[in-house]
Amino acid sequence: MNSNLSMEQIRIDVKNVTDLNNTGRDITQISETLGLSRDYIQTILTCAQGFTEDDNMAVAVLVEASL
């Protein structure tokens, strides 16, 4: 995982990963589609599971703290 990502990039990644996950794609498929590491995707999905609403910025803050 890259701890030098900007908050804006993390927010974009959160949106893209959760959108693909919501269509039924698994971590491997998301990784291949977006070119992101499986660990980073797992972190995003783990952080996102605690939010029922689509609050990408809140999830991005948790992801950033996890990097």
Side-chain angles (χ1 to χ4, degrees), residues 7-19 22 40 44 47-48 51-64:
M7 180 57 69
E8 180 62 15
Q9 184 59 54
I10 295 170
R11 188 193 62 76
I12 291 167
D13 291 342
V14 166
K15 179 178 182 349
N16 292 337
V17 167
T18 55
D19 285 351
N22 289 337
Y40 181 50
I44 290 172
C47 290
F51 290 88
T52 55
E53 70 281 351
D54 292 331
D55 191 349
N56 292 332
M57 185 54 79
V59 175
V61 169
L62 289 176
V63 171
E64 182 183 45

Side-chain angles (χ1 to χ4, degrees), residues 16-63:
N16 292 337
V17 167
T18 55
D19 285 351
L20 288 173
N21 184 252
N22 289 337
T23 66
R25 295 200 180 161
D26 64 24
I27 291 175
T28 300
Q29 293 167 325
I30 296 169
S31 177
E32 291 169 355
T33 300
L34 298 178
L36 301 173
S37 77
R38 292 172 50 125
D39 287 341
Y40 181 50
I41 294 166
Q42 181 65 49
T43 298
I44 290 172
L45 294 175
T46 299
C47 290
Q49 72 184 2
F51 290 88
T52 55
E53 70 281 351
D54 292 331
D55 191 349
N56 292 332
M57 185 54 79
V59 175
V61 169
L62 289 176
V63 171

